[in-house]
Amino acid sequence: MLDAKLIRANAALVEQRLEKRNLTGVLKPFLLLDEERRKILVQVEERKNFRNNSSQHIGKMKKQGLNPSDLMEEVRQAGQQIKVLDEELARVEKEIEKILLNIPNLPHESVPLGEDEKSNQEVRRWGEPRQFDFEPKAHWDIGPELDILDFERAAKLSGARFTVYKGAGARLERAIINFFLDIHCGQHGYREILPPFMVVADCMVGTGQLPKFAEDMFKLEGKDMYLIPTAEVPLTNLYREEILEIKDLPLYLTAYTPCFRAEAGSHGRDTRGVIRQHQFNKVELVKLCEPQNSYEELEKLTQDAERVLQLLGLPYRVVVLSTGDMGFSSAKTYDIEVWMPGYQDYREISSCSNCEDFQARRANIRYRPDPKAKLQYVHTLNGSGVAIGRTVAAILENYQQADGSVVIPEVLRPYMGGLEKINRPEA
RNA sequence: GGAGAGAUGGCCGAGAUGGCUGAAGGCGCUCGCCUGCUAAGCGAGUAGACGGCUAAUAACUGUCUCGAGGGUUCGAAUCCCUCUCUCUCCGCCA
């Protein structure tokens, strides 16, 4: 959520920055309602002031044995007026909130301008795509051939966009989760959290999924609760409505969770393999920090995510998303894209964002910079560290051998009971 | 699921019979004083949101907030209703 005061004071500037996200004219309705709100507020506060003073006066008169019935009648009428004005005010405020909750974050000035992902800019590359002396297969062929991924039975259980992991595949998924958590907690200073996978609607508003993106999520029937689309939601909302101590900042949090996404509007995209699923596993990184450090923290967070790919020996590149491709809550986002031989292309495996105070304002997460200072919103950051299913896919494709087997990256072998290679089952 | 108790400021905790309580007292914290150091002591200060007036994020000032929402009343932290959460006991259960 943007700061209403900022919009009011710098409407033209804010409008300009929103235009970079290809939005125009979104501020006008806000400004009109905002003015109306203050007009009503002044009136109703005057009436309340009268009521407060008069009520005290009535008390005193009664004590002195005087008859306050005239004044009581006047206050009663004031009460009627207050009721009407309050209702009007509530209506206007609700509309204002609706508008504000649907305006995305302002892009940081370093973000490239553009309409879509074509304007994203590559920042750096790591690793060389392997040269194959045979035609590399896609993971949706490798997995079933090794009998470790089963898309057909998954469809029987749950329909499209689900995967069953079997045997070494299931263990590989679990190994990666543990490996990522161990690296981030043991070497990058994050604290492991195991949060609920269902959260109340307030959390979804806090991180920006609601009210605008309701159709992207799974909602529980008859409850005001949702399956989390990412651990960013419970991790960031851990501190919703709280005032943090400066000595606790920055907070580095990580969690493994499954993620649930309706994938509405992506029909026909990535229908094969594990790339786009209704349920997938992810290790997420979240930071809460002081505003002046958030961009430095974004760089570090992105590097933390890159590091696990380096350890796995998976080539990748980092791109900075253009203003047209960024998420709703983000001010700046780096995507990490891993090399996928089956696609002969880089595919997103992590997205690292600085949301500045956008989520903190929605979720009301504040801190006091020093004992005398006013409360301030923290900055929130999040990034995948990284997506597990896509990591499995990348390993299968990058480590596949001519005989159809897949070599396990060395760092994962301790997590796989020493297994070095997944072989095809005997025919 | 059944029975009962509770929800007050950063924390703990007062707040019969509704009015001068935005909230006593304590702790914590900040600043100052004092003490040769430490400990103790003394004094002052210490919620937030949204407005008005302003050049001002200064001063002054108004409104709202005692779990949330609604009601009664001239007036509610205090009375009534609904909901949420916490605790205790019972039941059920991985």
Side-chain angles (χ1 to χ4, degrees):
Chain A
M1 189 157 60
L2 301 182
D3 183 0
K5 282 181 188 163
L6 176 83
I7 301 178
R8 201 187 295 151
N10 307 289
L13 211 81
V14 173
E15 188 87 53
Q16 270 178 29
R17 294 179 68 187
L18 284 172
E19 276 167 16
K20 291 182 180 172
R21 296 191 69 142
N22 311 312
L23 287 167
T24 45
V26 288
L27 259 35
K28 208 169 288 167
F30 165 81
L31 291 167
L32 287 171
L33 285 165
D34 181 59
E35 200 169 320
E36 193 182 344
R37 171 177 171 271
R38 273 174 297 152
K39 234 162 72 186
I40 300 168
L41 199 57
V42 169
Q43 286 177 50
V44 74
E45 286 187 357
E46 185 280 323
R47 291 279 79 192
K48 285 181 176 173
N49 181 227
F50 170 75
R51 180 174 69 181
N52 289 345
N53 290 332
S54 303
S55 294
Q56 271 189 27
H57 196 56
I58 287 167
K60 282 177 191 155
M61 285 174 81
K62 283 192 169 174
K63 265 186 193 159
Q64 291 167 10
L66 299 169
N67 179 3
S69 55
D70 285 355
L71 188 53
M72 280 168 71
E73 179 52 31
E74 243 184 288
V75 176
R76 196 175 294 126
Q77 277 172 21
Q80 303 282 324
Q81 296 169 324
I82 288 167
K83 199 174 174 187
V84 172
L85 288 167
D86 265 346
E87 279 166 9
E88 185 69 7
L89 187 64
R91 205 206 81 230
V92 171
E93 285 185 337
K94 205 170 174 182
E95 268 185 73
I96 289 174
E97 187 181 76
K98 195 174 146 197
I99 291 173
L100 286 179
L101 285 177
N102 280 290
I103 297 177
N105 203 356
L106 303 176
H108 188 258
E109 53 202 5
S110 66
V111 172
L113 284 170
E115 284 189 16
D116 52 35
E117 72 279 358
K118 290 190 208 78
S119 305
N120 297 348
Q121 286 175 9
E122 185 172 311
V123 178
R124 58 181 167 270
R125 276 183 196 218
W126 184 92
E128 280 295 315
R130 176 179 151 204
Q131 298 301 313
F132 289 87
D133 48 17
F134 59 94
E135 183 70 19
K137 294 176 176 173
H139 69 275
W140 55 79
D141 290 325
I142 302 168
E145 282 166 18
L146 293 174
D147 195 30
I148 59 171
L149 298 182
D150 191 334
F151 300 107
E152 287 174 19
R153 291 200 176 86
K156 181 167 68 182
L157 296 178
S158 310
R161 295 204 188 283
F162 287 91
T163 305
V164 172
Y165 292 76
K166 302 193 290 191
R171 184 155 193 188
L172 181 59
E173 182 94 357
R174 182 159 56 88
I176 294 167
I177 292 167
N178 286 326
F179 170 64
F180 286 175
L181 286 172
D182 285 353
I183 295 295
H184 293 313
C185 295
Q187 297 182 23
H188 298 158
Y190 292 78
R191 179 154 198 233
E192 183 175 350
I193 306 288
L194 182 58
F197 304 156
M198 303 174 214
V199 297
V200 296
D202 282 346
C203 291
M204 292 298 195
V205 175
T207 31
Q209 284 78 18
L210 286 180
K212 208 170 178 186
F213 306 101
E215 69 283 356
D216 292 339
M217 291 174 311
F218 289 108
K219 186 176 191 300
L220 300 194
E221 173 117 39
K223 300 226 176 221
D224 203 18
M225 294 186 82
Y226 297 81
L227 297 179
I228 56 169
T230 159
E232 168 199 344
V233 175
L235 290 182
T236 306
N237 279 284
L238 270 181
Y239 298 99
R240 183 159 51 85
E241 308 291 343
E242 289 195 31
I243 295 166
L244 300 172
E245 306 243 10
I246 185 151
K247 66 176 166 59
D248 295 331
L249 297 177
L251 277 163
Y252 284 24
L253 307 171
T254 185
Y256 149 72
T257 71
C259 303
F260 303 92
R261 298 188 183 177
E263 293 296 346
S266 62
H267 299 294
R269 285 226 311 267
D270 303 312
T271 50
R272 305 196 70 187
V274 303
I275 295 298
R276 192 172 300 275
Q277 304 275 284
H278 286 310
Q279 175 186 326
F280 63 95
N281 293 313
K282 181 157 60 68
V283 166
E284 180 77 359
L285 307 172
V286 162
K287 291 182 176 184
L288 308 188
C289 71
E290 294 191 76
Q292 69 271 20
N293 302 329
S294 66
Y295 279 93
E296 187 190 327
E297 293 290 356
L298 176 64
E299 298 301 322
K300 282 164 65 184
L301 184 146
T302 308
Q303 285 161 24
D304 292 338
E306 287 174 59
R307 176 107 192 292
V308 296
L309 295 179
Q310 291 170 11
L311 291 169
L312 288 172
L314 294 171
Y316 65 84
R317 64 176 186 181
V318 178
V319 301
V320 56
L321 298 192
S322 79
T323 53
D325 198 28
M326 277 169 34
F328 182 76
S329 299
S330 176
K332 182 173 186 175
T333 298
Y334 291 114
D335 271 9
I336 302 173
E337 300 177 340
V338 71
W339 177 254
M340 299 286 279
Y343 289 84
Q344 283 296 301
D345 201 1
Y346 287 97
R347 294 299 312 253
E348 177 188 340
I349 196 166
S350 171
S351 191
C352 303
S353 300
N354 183 0
C355 298
E356 299 189 359
D357 64 2
F358 187 83
Q359 293 179 326
R361 181 171 278 111
R362 288 172 162 249
N364 201 23
I365 308 171
R366 295 172 296 175
Y367 80 107
R368 200 181 295 280
D370 72 77
K372 284 183 174 171
K374 289 188 69 171
L375 292 175
Q376 271 194 34
Y377 292 107
V378 300
H379 278 193
T380 65
L381 300 90
N382 64 78
S384 343
V386 298
I388 308 298
R390 290 185 182 183
T391 303
V392 168
I395 288 171
L396 295 184
E397 295 194 5
N398 281 281
Y399 282 88
Q400 61 182 301
Q401 307 299 310
D403 65 358
S405 66
V406 170
V407 170
I408 305 293
E410 237 167 282
V411 289
L412 290 180
R413 291 177 194 171
Y415 294 88
M416 296 287 290
L419 188 68
E420 293 176 11
K421 197 192 237 190
I422 304 175
N423 288 306
R424 286 200 187 193
E426 304 294 321

